[in-house]
Amino acid sequence: MFPMHAAWLEAASPVLDPFGLIRATQDYWQDTFERSVLYWDVMRQRGNQYLEHMEQTKPNVLGFEAEVLVDGRDLPRPVNYELMRILPPLGVTIDPLKRPFVVVDPRAGHGPGIGGFKPDSEIGVAMRAGHPCYFIGFLPFPVPGQHVEDVVDAEIAFMREVGARHVEANEKPVVIGNCQAGWQLMMAAALEPDAFGPILVAGAPLSYWAGERGRYPMRYSGGLLGGSWLTAFAGDLGAGLFDGAWLVQNFERLNPANTLWSKQYRLYADVDHESERYLQFERWWGGHIVLNAEEIQYIVDNLFIGNRLSTAQLITRDGRRIDLRNVRSPIVVFCSQGDNITPPPQALGWVSDLYDGVDDIIANEQTIVYCVHDSTGHLGIFVSGSISRREHAEFTANMDYIDVLPPGLYETAITPRDATGDATDGDYLLEFRPRGVDDLQPLVQRRDDDERRFATVARLSESGLALYQQYTQPWIQAVMTPEAGRWLRRLHPIRLGYKLLSDRNPLMSTVPVLAEQIRRQRQPLSPDNPIAQWERSVATRIEENLEAYGEWRDRISEALFMNIYGQPWLQALAGIGPDMARMRPHPGRAPEHQHFLRTRRAALRERIASGGAREAVVRALIYILGGAPATDERNFKRLKATREELGKSLDLQQFKMLVREQFFILKLDVREALEALPTLIARSDATQVDDYLTHITHILDASGPQSEHVQKRLERVRTLFEKARPAAPNHEAPQA
């Protein structure tokens, strides 16, 4: 006999023992029956929950109490959005002098509330930090005639209302836009920059043609479906309303392994513990809403297929150009490599679309900070508890620092404080590393040949939509009535999946009775049961096969798209030639933009020698820190002290403008800017000069040991400051 491992023998003993196998089989089938009943009871509860949610006038999944402050239906151009104030839960104290946070939820098929879904959420993190919080949500049905631009104007009105309520904070509100709400907020901030403080866009697509070959197949959908005529057709079938369940179905198709198997099997396999979490998530996932046909058509034509937002081609009905370069607030872009709905190329591609280099970003006075997570999925970006406790907590704690960061492009790094040897508050340290626009290329992976393909799709989509509107749409609109549209929504497969498994179905009437009996005497099966182990093994194989199918489907989809829209004759037919400038404008290279840069430089050159000690100290700090590879939140603590020491009358907004101006001057001409330092502090006495140098040294020491490069720059500044020191009086006795 061959020797066998003891552990293997122990695991195989029920199989080798016929009676043990019989007992294991009996236990397994009893547990299978019980799990099946409990599983279907959870599905019944899901259906009931869905129906209750849909019957509510203002459904949402917020985990916090809230009061409505402004109803969007009362605005000059009414919309189905609301501004709500979040009421602090018991034990949470709000500081009215802290800047407010506003969370805007995505209206992309699901209902509102995901940003405050759990205590560990964007709202929860901000409230625990003492910030007043507001929420912009929406109702299930749009106002007749409501347009995307009306929603953008409503969000501007909401932000002005929040700002007016917190004038004493002396800081503009921080606004967080999740997914679809992110691009909406960016549009609003481009139109009315003064209404917004720092903007955090989480998982928000802004550059829709961007992507990586072999990944993120969702960007091919517009071309593979033949353009946006299908969107118009769906809106016409709804009698002017577009069912958000179609958008949810598109999301589900991205991951067939999870949709068709893993999600439901996890519930079935661990129904005793998974049911509460499952029902909580399904309450939001199944909260389908409706959009006006005009709204979704605008989104698909101008964003998903037209990609006009990231190249400043969007123009409102009243003639305003939506140019993201007009945003004056710091922009924080949070995305993830594990997100297949808004991958990093779509979240960050707009930067290289708009700007030729980081000098353009600086000249436009923009501060752009990006953070790329390694693995979390789309929903995890704004609902994961671990993400909220780390990334969102760090962004919340450091918004004031981000607000005074000099213009430029920065990548963040979050490290445990014990790894840095830092003993300050908090578990993590947020670091900002300067980057160039070229540094985004490995993430964005922009290709001219792919740009031609997507431009071809956009042109052909316009033709296909025009043909549909001319020859087919009048017939569909003549036949479809609002009642017919309602019936079609009710018969949507996803909606039916909830309704058929609710108490409205008489076949489900015995399920809750059996489930209650089972719960009273439930004894879960031991995980060592060999048949249960075999079941889990089979489940794993099914999931792997579905994943393989999904990957195969995505490869086929990409190959079809590339081959069809890569044909030169088709591109020529769509009017796409070899001239990339005509195919897609690049705003950073436009003559008027170059003129703006020249004018900006000339105005700044006149201010190089203007100012006093404030300007000199800030200019010196920016010069020295500019020699370091990164800066972090520890510097901000000293910068806040700098503001206080430079003058009590200098508020945060004035200090921020001072930092930005000095940064521009240094970028314009470092040598001349440094040589002007003695002139700026010429009226200071020796003690004041010593105080300036001591203060600068303290700020540098806040970030730990100084590099050799930083020390050299500090020594140069010290020499320049010494030139301004008044000469010591000569006390020698006069000669006889």
Side-chain angles (χ1 to χ4, degrees):
M1 177 182 292
F2 292 102
M4 288 192 271
H5 197 279
W8 187 91
L9 279 172
E10 184 179 354
S13 58
V15 180
L16 299 176
D17 176 10
F19 295 104
L21 180 59
I22 292 172
R23 285 193 302 271
T25 303
Q26 289 174 339
D27 293 343
Y28 173 78
W29 284 114
Q30 179 179 345
D31 183 73
T32 297
F33 172 75
E34 292 177 354
R35 278 188 294 157
S36 299
V37 173
L38 294 176
Y39 170 84
W40 288 113
D41 188 56
V42 173
M43 301 304 288
R44 178 191 64 85
Q45 294 176 54
R46 184 190 74 153
N48 293 341
Q49 176 180 269
Y50 171 81
L51 294 172
E52 292 170 6
H53 193 72
M54 289 292 97
E55 288 171 359
Q56 295 176 14
T57 306
K58 299 180 179 181
N60 68 61
V61 295
L62 274 176
F64 300 87
E65 295 294 326
E67 62 175 350
V68 177
L69 298 179
V70 181
D71 191 328
R73 293 172 294 183
D74 298 330
L75 295 175
R77 296 193 65 86
V79 295
N80 66 332
Y81 278 70
E82 295 178 325
L83 171 65
M84 292 181 273
R85 183 173 75 90
I86 304 297
L87 304 178
L90 198 63
V92 174
T93 303
I94 299 301
D95 184 353
L97 295 181
K98 284 192 172 184
R99 71 187 329 158
F101 273 62
V102 183
V103 174
V104 188
D105 261 11
R107 184 163 161 253
H110 310 92
I114 198 66
F117 190 44
K118 300 181 289 189
D120 283 328
S121 60
E122 294 161 336
I123 290 177
V125 166
M127 293 195 81
R128 284 200 297 273
H131 295 275
C133 287
Y134 296 82
F135 176 75
I136 297 178
F138 45 86
L139 305 180
F141 285 86
V143 174
Q146 172 180 314
H147 194 271
V148 170
E149 293 176 13
D150 300 330
V151 175
V152 169
D153 288 336
E155 289 177 347
I156 293 171
F158 293 156
M159 294 302 296
R160 292 199 181 281
E161 174 67 21
V162 173
R165 286 174 170 267
H166 294 272
V167 176
E168 68 280 3
N170 202 29
E171 294 173 301
K172 295 177 183 177
V174 173
V175 59
I176 301 174
N178 296 319
C179 187
Q180 173 268 352
W183 59 255
Q184 233 172 41
L185 283 174
M186 291 287 280
M187 291 170 64
L191 292 173
E192 295 289 339
D194 294 339
F196 294 79
I199 301 170
L200 169 60
V201 286
L206 294 167
S207 185
Y208 299 83
W209 292 359
E212 180 182 342
R213 291 278 186 94
R215 301 179 70 189
Y216 317 128
M218 198 172 187
R219 64 178 180 145
Y220 304 126
S221 299
L224 295 176
L225 293 175
S228 70
W229 73 269
L230 201 57
T231 304
F233 178 60
D236 291 336
L237 289 179
L241 295 175
F242 181 89
D243 189 358
W246 292 112
L247 299 176
V248 176
Q249 190 174 66
N250 285 340
F251 297 146
E252 291 189 340
R253 284 175 177 164
L254 285 173
N255 190 346
N258 184 68
T259 300
L260 300 177
W261 181 256
S262 305
K263 178 181 173 181
Q264 299 303 122
Y265 178 72
R266 277 195 301 269
L267 172 64
Y268 170 75
D270 192 17
V271 71
D272 301 290
H273 303 101
E274 275 286 304
S275 56
E276 183 177 352
R277 184 204 62 80
Y278 179 88
L279 288 172
Q280 185 184 32
F281 178 78
E282 284 294 308
R283 184 165 169 258
W284 174 74
W285 188 253
H288 309 125
I289 53 91
V290 174
L291 295 86
N292 277 334
E294 292 86 356
E295 291 182 283
I296 190 65
Q297 196 67 46
Y298 177 97
I299 293 169
V300 172
D301 286 339
N302 290 295
L303 303 176
F304 293 164
I305 294 180
N307 196 36
R308 297 187 176 101
L309 178 60
S310 69
T311 50
Q313 296 180 80
L314 272 183
I315 299 177
T316 64
R317 290 170 296 185
D318 56 359
R320 295 175 293 170
R321 182 177 294 277
I322 300 176
D323 188 341
L324 298 184
R325 293 173 299 177
N326 293 334
V327 179
R328 298 275 73 86
S329 308
I331 302 166
V332 181
V333 180
F334 183 28
C335 55
S336 173
Q337 293 285 9
D339 185 352
N340 60 353
I341 293 176
T342 305
Q346 293 190 3
L348 291 167
W350 64 278
V351 179
S352 54
D353 287 345
L354 284 173
Y355 297 109
D356 249 4
V358 75
D359 286 344
D360 279 0
I361 298 176
I362 293 168
N364 276 279
E365 303 182 37
Q366 278 199 328
T367 301
I368 303 171
V369 176
Y370 67 94
C371 177
V372 183
H373 194 274
D374 291 335
S375 59
T376 191
H378 183 69
L379 294 179
I381 290 175
F382 37 89
V383 302
S384 168
S386 61
I387 297 295
S388 293
R389 289 188 294 271
R390 176 172 157 151
E391 278 79 4
H392 284 296
E394 283 301 307
F395 291 142
T396 299
N398 288 282
M399 273 302 172
D400 286 342
Y401 187 20
I402 293 171
D403 208 13
V404 297
L405 271 177
L409 179 65
Y410 302 87
E411 182 181 9
T412 63
I414 300 176
T415 54
R417 287 191 186 270
D418 55 6
T420 65
D422 185 56
T424 54
D425 296 336
D427 296 328
Y428 299 97
L429 184 70
L430 188 63
E431 187 179 52
F432 301 91
R433 300 169 179 171
R435 293 289 184 258
V437 172
D438 290 341
D439 294 326
L440 294 177
Q441 179 57 22
L443 288 170
V444 176
Q445 298 196 20
R446 180 177 173 181
R447 297 173 55 130
D448 287 348
D449 53 346
D450 283 359
E451 298 275 307
R452 286 193 178 87
R453 290 180 171 91
F454 285 104
T456 302
V457 171
R459 296 281 180 86
L460 294 177
S461 177
E462 292 175 0
S463 300
L465 178 62
L467 288 170
Y468 170 80
Q469 291 173 333
Q470 180 69 33
Y471 296 107
T472 308
Q473 190 174 60
W475 296 94
I476 303 295
Q477 291 179 342
V479 173
M480 293 304 299
T481 63
E483 184 62 26
R486 279 193 291 272
W487 273 105
L488 281 179
R489 285 196 296 276
R490 292 170 183 166
L491 294 174
H492 191 284
I494 289 185
R495 293 180 184 271
L496 278 178
Y498 288 91
K499 295 175 183 177
L500 291 177
L501 297 177
S502 70
D503 284 341
R504 292 187 184 180
N505 184 349
L507 296 178
M508 299 294 290
S509 59
T510 59
V511 172
V513 178
L514 281 172
E516 184 59 31
Q517 292 177 355
I518 289 171
R519 288 191 182 97
R520 283 200 296 265
Q521 54 189 4
R522 172 79 170 139
Q523 291 185 352
L525 185 67
S526 168
D528 296 332
N529 186 287
I531 305 181
Q533 293 176 350
W534 172 81
E535 176 199 292
R536 291 192 291 271
S537 177
V538 171
T540 302
R541 299 290 86 74
I542 293 173
E543 181 178 7
E544 290 172 351
N545 287 332
L546 285 171
E547 287 175 350
Y549 158 74
E551 293 172 0
W552 171 84
R553 179 203 61 185
D554 294 344
R555 288 196 300 271
I556 294 298
S557 299
E558 182 176 76
L560 279 173
F561 180 91
M562 295 296 170
N563 288 327
I564 292 172
Y565 293 102
Q567 299 295 324
W569 66 268
L570 187 62
Q571 294 178 357
L573 188 65
I576 305 301
D579 187 353
M580 292 294 295
R582 290 187 58 192
M583 181 196 76
R584 184 181 185 189
H586 199 294
R589 300 170 189 167
E592 60 270 21
H593 180 67
Q594 296 299 319
H595 175 71
F596 161 76
L597 295 180
R598 289 192 296 270
T599 304
R600 175 70 172 155
R601 293 188 186 105
L604 285 172
R605 188 171 290 279
E606 295 177 358
R607 294 190 54 79
I608 288 179
S610 299
R614 290 176 177 176
E615 287 75 11
V617 171
V618 171
R619 187 181 300 180
L621 281 169
I622 294 172
Y623 166 70
I624 297 169
L625 291 174
T631 181
D632 59 51
E633 59 189 87
R634 293 171 296 188
N635 281 334
F636 181 56
K637 294 182 178 180
R638 289 302 304 168
L639 283 172
K640 287 196 292 187
T642 299
R643 179 164 65 94
E644 295 171 1
E645 293 174 20
L646 288 177
K648 297 290 185 181
S649 62
L650 193 65
D651 63 30
L652 183 62
Q653 291 302 315
Q654 292 171 325
F655 181 64
K656 183 170 72 172
M657 294 305 298
L658 174 62
V659 170
R660 288 173 176 269
E661 183 176 80
Q662 297 308 311
F663 183 82
F664 292 147
I665 288 173
L666 279 166
K667 289 294 292 185
L668 179 65
D669 192 327
V670 174
R671 185 185 62 81
E672 190 174 345
L674 291 177
E675 289 178 353
L677 288 177
T679 303
L680 297 180
I681 59 172
R683 296 182 180 181
S684 303
D685 58 33
T687 301
Q688 289 174 320
V689 172
D690 289 338
D691 289 342
Y692 301 151
L693 291 171
T694 300
H695 182 71
I696 291 171
T697 304
H698 284 170
I699 290 180
L700 298 176
D701 290 342
S703 291
Q706 300 168 13
S707 68
E708 182 181 350
H709 197 56
V710 168
Q711 289 177 359
K712 286 182 178 179
R713 290 191 171 208
L714 174 60
E715 195 57 38
R716 184 176 181 186
V717 166
R718 193 186 304 277
T719 302
L720 291 167
F721 272 51
E722 291 292 343
K723 286 183 179 180
R725 186 187 297 275
N730 190 351
H731 297 294
E732 288 186 12
Q735 295 291 329

